[in-house]
Amino acid sequence: MQVINGIPAAAGIAIGPGFHHKRASFTPVRVQIIDSQAEIERLEVAIERSGRELQEIYETTRETVGEDEAEIFHAHLMMLKDPDLLDTVRQTINTEKVNAEAAFYEASETYANLLQNLSDEYLRARAVDVRDVSARVIRNLCDEVVDTSYLSAPAIIFAEDLAPSDTIQFEREKLLGFFTVNGGATSHTAILSRALGIPAVVGAGVLPDFISGDHTYILDGDSGRLIVDPDKSTLASYLEVQQSQREKFAEEKVTAINPAVTLDGKRVEIVANIGNLDDAKSALLNGAEGTGLFRTEFSYIEQSVIPDEDTLVDEYRAIFEAFDGLPVVVRTLDIGGDKEVPHLGLPVESNPFLGHRGIRLCLSRPDLFKPQLRAILRAGSRTNLYIMFPMIASIDEIRQARKVLDECRTELEMESVQFNQKPKIGIMIEVPSAALCADQLATVVDFFSIGTNDLSQYTLAADRTNSKVTHLANALQPAVLRLIKQVIDHGHNAGIWVGMCGEMAGEPIAIPILLGLGLDEFSMNPMAIPRAKAIIRQWDTRQAASLAEQALQCETPEDVQRLATSWLLD
Ligand code: PEP
Ligand code: MG
């Protein structure tokens, strides 16, 4: 039995034969041309054909998989029509007199490399999409026909990397799982796998020694493990786990729309982390009772210019309306750290996570901050609106941020524009100083939301993006648990609610502990909601409180993990 470990990207277990999907990688040769006008026309024909293909894939995906997944191909269509990219290509053809294939390849590679070198994981993963679009155009320029009907029997797909269009073109019934050498948990392959309910392991670094229909593979998307040619007993036990997981998932999905109420009758609010309208729709389908974190920075990062106030109003309004009266927690811009916005031209910092990030940047840039606050207030005139400031380290920052918000309200009042007069104001607790002084901060806000992703890295002094130390930035570290307890207690003593929007809130192992600590609101990735609700329904709050008390006394995150697991097995 060969065992390979990778990153668990989509939960579940797949068992079956393998199929090695090889992507034809092809770098066009740069050749000199004479007639640049004819070359540009050739490019335009290829762009048009690529557009028709993408439109077709978009429609098939929408019908067979779903609206959200289809949006990926809509984004590809947008990339295909990107005026900046096309201008660059045309200019290269005109001035350097080179063939369209090479000009298009070079321009899209420059863009893909730019994305690939960003420290934000999500944006890095977008480089694959740019290359996918580029390969399509180049294929069409070369009249190359691609055959996608090769999966003759159900199989686990093995690949160096998978582009979204590869992923989606396999027949769903024949698709058992994905295993890739490269990629991370936020690559589109991972996103699509989760949406399709296909187990996936990515970033394994290697492929198994043999890949064929004659071997049997177990792909464990929960632990990130691949087992090649398992022995009889391993196979039998995985088959059993697979069967019970299927039954459990079907049950959870049926009840996801119902509220999460503990055995002793406490209703717990389960909301979603979103970044755009697609996420909002997925959140609602999975039973979200609102959003506990709308990350607004992505629309600034994805566009090549700073969106203006009216553009933001349109974007926000569509999302707010989707939630139709449910609570919407909008986090103001959290740029900096690992979220770079190249077009803002911000100076390079030697320690960006300890630098001019989040609220610090916004307070020094009213030209960025005020249009966003005005857009949130305007778009949310009839919304159950909560405004949340990120990276708060001191009470003074809250006072300053509130002052800017008040200025925006006064301006809108004077302009006789409709806006939300009374949004609730809260902060993220993600810096240890804020957690330690939560009693004071609670006097000037309406709610807290704990950001364990940052709180863990700052508490443990371990950069969350540095693979050598990320294991230290673990939210189950007793030091982090103690800070969480302190924040919840201080919030409750001051009469405000306390939520959590860090990844920890959607982790099955952490949910009972957080319930026991008295967390009021859990905000998580939409797909994690059905499981989270099911877990909460199995607990009694007093029982959870005893578990939490013991967890606070543990010495290591591993001890906390063992403790929580032992309670689950009881
Ligand atoms: C967090 O830090 O936990 C959080 C939710 O914010 P982000 O991951 O966007 O930094
Ligand atoms: Mg954060």
Side-chain angles (χ1 to χ4, degrees), residues 176-187:
L176 300 180
F178 288 117
F179 180 94
T180 63
V181 175
N182 301 312
T186 55
S187 69

Side-chain angles (χ1 to χ4, degrees), residues 174-457:
K174 292 184 186 154
L175 201 49
L176 300 180
F178 288 117
F179 180 94
T180 63
V181 175
N182 301 312
T186 55
S187 69
H188 265 134
T189 301
I191 294 168
L192 280 168
S193 307
R194 278 183 231 126
L196 291 163
I198 305 281
V201 174
V202 299
V206 287
L207 284 171
D209 297 341
F210 314 101
I211 304 170
S212 84
D214 301 332
H215 293 269
T216 300
Y217 306 85
I218 297 175
L219 181 107
D220 183 346
D222 299 306
S223 67
R225 181 175 306 164
L226 177 84
I227 303 170
V228 185
D229 290 332
D231 57 37
K232 265 193 178 162
S233 72
T234 309
L235 184 60
S237 67
Y238 266 102
L239 280 169
E240 210 174 297
V241 177
Q242 189 187 43
Q243 183 55 27
S244 70
Q245 278 189 351
R246 282 183 180 154
E247 286 163 10
K248 200 162 153 202
F249 182 75
E251 271 170 42
E252 287 168 358
K253 194 80 184 136
V254 171
T255 54
I257 212 72
N258 302 333
V261 182
T262 61
L263 293 174
D264 53 332
K266 178 177 176 183
R267 178 161 178 178
V268 180
E269 201 180 342
I270 307 290
V271 288
N273 291 351
I274 63 161
N276 56 33
L277 183 59
D278 288 340
D279 294 345
K281 291 179 188 163
S282 162
L284 290 162
L285 284 175
N286 281 286
E289 295 156 346
T291 171
L293 169 64
F294 169 20
R295 286 185 166 101
T296 56
E297 48 279 358
F298 289 113
S299 62
Y300 288 73
I301 297 172
E302 278 164 7
Q303 294 174 37
S304 52
V305 290
I306 301 170
D308 63 23
E309 186 179 316
D310 288 340
T311 307
L312 291 174
V313 171
D314 291 344
E315 185 199 327
Y316 297 162
R317 189 168 284 146
I319 292 173
F320 297 173
E321 281 173 1
F323 282 103
D324 194 22
L326 293 171
V328 174
V329 180
V330 188
R331 182 175 73 181
T332 60
L333 263 182
D334 184 20
I335 287 169
D338 59 342
K339 293 175 207 147
E340 293 163 6
V341 182
H343 59 86
L344 276 182
L346 300 170
V348 176
E349 297 177 300
S350 45
N351 284 306
F353 274 117
L354 302 180
H356 203 213
R357 186 190 162 187
I359 197 69
R360 304 169 183 181
L361 174 75
C362 283
L363 289 174
S364 71
R365 290 284 303 266
D367 59 314
L368 278 178
F369 198 28
K370 283 181 83 172
Q372 182 184 38
L373 290 176
R374 286 171 53 102
I376 296 170
L377 290 169
R378 282 174 57 197
S381 62
R382 284 194 293 269
T383 304
N384 188 356
L385 185 63
Y386 295 73
I387 297 178
M388 176 160 79
F389 301 121
M391 277 295 291
I392 293 290
S394 72
I395 197 162
D396 192 42
E397 287 165 340
I398 310 175
R399 293 196 175 115
Q400 287 181 54
R402 291 195 78 130
K403 194 160 159 260
V404 183
L405 186 65
D406 284 343
E407 281 166 24
C408 293
R409 282 190 188 128
T410 312
E411 283 170 17
L412 292 170
E413 191 83 61
M414 307 251 288
E415 293 163 25
S416 305
V417 176
Q418 264 207 341
F419 68 99
N420 192 312
Q421 306 270 353
K422 279 200 176 351
K424 299 273 188 297
I425 309 299
I427 55 168
M428 293 216 38
I429 301 280
E430 51 186 346
V431 179
S433 60
L436 291 164
C437 292
D439 54 338
Q440 295 171 340
L441 306 193
T443 61
V444 291
V445 292
D446 301 310
F447 68 95
F448 286 154
S449 183
I450 305 172
T452 45
N453 309 341
D454 278 316
L455 186 61
S456 311
Q457 76 160 343

Side-chain angles (χ1 to χ4, degrees), residues 445-474:
V445 292
D446 301 310
F447 68 95
F448 286 154
S449 183
I450 305 172
T452 45
N453 309 341
D454 278 316
L455 186 61
S456 311
Q457 76 160 343
Y458 292 132
T459 304
L460 276 301
D463 181 342
R464 66 196 252 195
T465 62
N466 179 342
S467 59
K468 290 215 174 69
V469 295
T470 43
H471 63 283
L472 295 171
N474 183 339

